[in-house]
Amino acid sequence: MDMEKAGIVDDYTKDGTVDLKGNRVRGGWKACYFLVVYEVFERMAYYGISSNLVLYMTRKLHQGTVESSNNVTNWVGTIWMTPIIGAWIADAYLGRYRTFLISCAIYLSGMSVLTLAVSVPGLKPPPCNEAQMGDCKKASPLQLAVFYGALYTLAVGTGGTKPNISTIGADQFDDFEPKEKAHKLSFFNWWEFSIFFGTLFANKILVYIQDNVGWALGYGLPTIGLAISISIFLAGTPFYRNRLPTGSPFTKMAKVFVAAFRNRKVSLPSDPKQLYELDSDEYASHGMFGVEATSSLRFFGKAAVVTGGTKDPWKLCTVTQVEETKQLLKMVPILVTTFIPSTMLAQVQTLFVKQGTTLDRTIGTTTFNIPPACLTGFTTFSMLISVVLYDKIFVKSMRKLTKNPRGITLLQRMGLGLILHTIIMILSSLVERKRLNFARGHGVVESGAQVPLTIFILLPQFVPMGVADAVLEVAKLEFFYDQAPEGMKSLGTSYSTTSIGIGNYISSFLLSTVARLTAEHGHKGWILNNLNASHLDYYYGFFVILNVVNFFFFLIVARSYVYKAEISNSMEVLRDELHQ
């Protein structure tokens, strides 16, 4: 097997993937173990901050329901949008390994300053009774600058770590080796498993520490966890396969756009072989692959039409360059269909947690109070179980029926996830209606006092969300990695993070807009600081409608989507084995 053709080279040693006899010495699960353990600690750090952030803003910064929820979703949105920049830097200039390490340093500095912001008394407003929040002293501009400066420094850091760490993991498996390809098909399931294992610790242990011991320790431990995770990643360096940067994907795409426009009056030849393309040997010498011309998005094919003998890269592009651009564009409609379910995910760390503050949080006759954010641990736990069941039982059983090595296609798995999100919002609306009926029945609507109903009535919202994550989020990550061109894997992976980022921004927009519009003409509005007087049941019902509309849009775009051709015959080999 030609390792250079596979594009797997090491950019820090002369030959880091094979020894002089051609034996493989790097990659595989051995390398992934370090990456998986890193991800456990890093996700513990991130969710140790984000899971309870809405309550810190409410209780310590004295912000209202809409303001605190939007500040969280705007920050989370930025967290998941910055990976576009990190992916671009990795693919174009520094490579994934170097980009990742530089970003880790930024990430750790943001976490450290954030820990100081919640620990030093002078960096936060004085304590205040939450019931009298309107009269509480607000945070000063300096206090807000330090707090949000740390949060958004952290966001810049994750922009370089998030799109590259999972891509580095997937790169450890060779598409040209059927056995490694089979491992790669399971990799994303177990990757998400590791993510939510760290999340489970954050949601159960760190959230409890923040609520009952102190925010300084509750934020200090995630910071230490992040430092440990970086050390673990560095320890695995000798085992990693690393891909060289192949140039800016945005510049490549821009050249195709410009060349196609400049050649817009030129007719496409009937024979695709007349289009401009490099020799296969030239691609192989650079560890790259040529891609054959397709009939989709024909306009962009004009960028590869030879006119007047010019080889100006802004007027003549190779077929491979054109097809790579087409591939990234073809994924955009699928990306759009993931925005709404990402908006649903944003509710878990905001409104779902805020609902928990209104309910009875004791267990039996004990005085132990469950932190509302701890319920997100049930989401994580159900996700962990679902990933194992999906990979070990569902996939194996479906392989026998479909003869597909994945069990079902990636888009079918995403469609199943969209259905689950619709069901979750129906359940959420019904649960909230029950909570409001209890509030009215016990006369605590106007006072906003605790509703005499156990916090565990919210489990029908939290638990199924973990199942939906196991189905949709894993499929989304694998789809955008798998379908991205070989030299643009980090950018492709950033599509999945972009989906979450835009979903959080949509959540902020919808929450503010609905709160404002429903409060016009003298009405109380659906979303108030006093949730007992609010109508979150209507708001969740509105989400049901959005999910249904989005699902039908997904059916349209998924039906017309054509998967990109495999660069090797590994999938065919695996299919043949299933037919035996």
Side-chain angles (χ1 to χ4, degrees), residues 238-258:
F239 301 97
Y240 301 147
R241 296 172 183 165
N242 296 293
R243 291 181 183 267
L244 293 169
T246 57
S248 171
F250 295 118
T251 301
K252 292 179 183 178
M253 295 174 67
K255 289 177 178 178
V256 173
F257 293 151
V258 173

Side-chain angles (χ1 to χ4, degrees), residues 56-69:
Y56 182 84
M57 291 181 174
T58 301
R59 295 172 177 174
K60 301 300 180 180
L61 299 184
H62 311 146
Q63 297 176 356
T65 298
V66 174
E67 183 183 9
S68 60
S69 297

Side-chain angles (χ1 to χ4, degrees), residues 2 8 64 70 86 107 123 181 223 259 261 271-272 296 331 397 417 574:
D2 189 339
I8 304 173
N70 283 350
Y107 191 171
L123 293 178
K181 182 68 174 181
T223 303
F261 179 77
D271 184 3
S296 63
M331 293 193 295
S397 61
L574 294 174

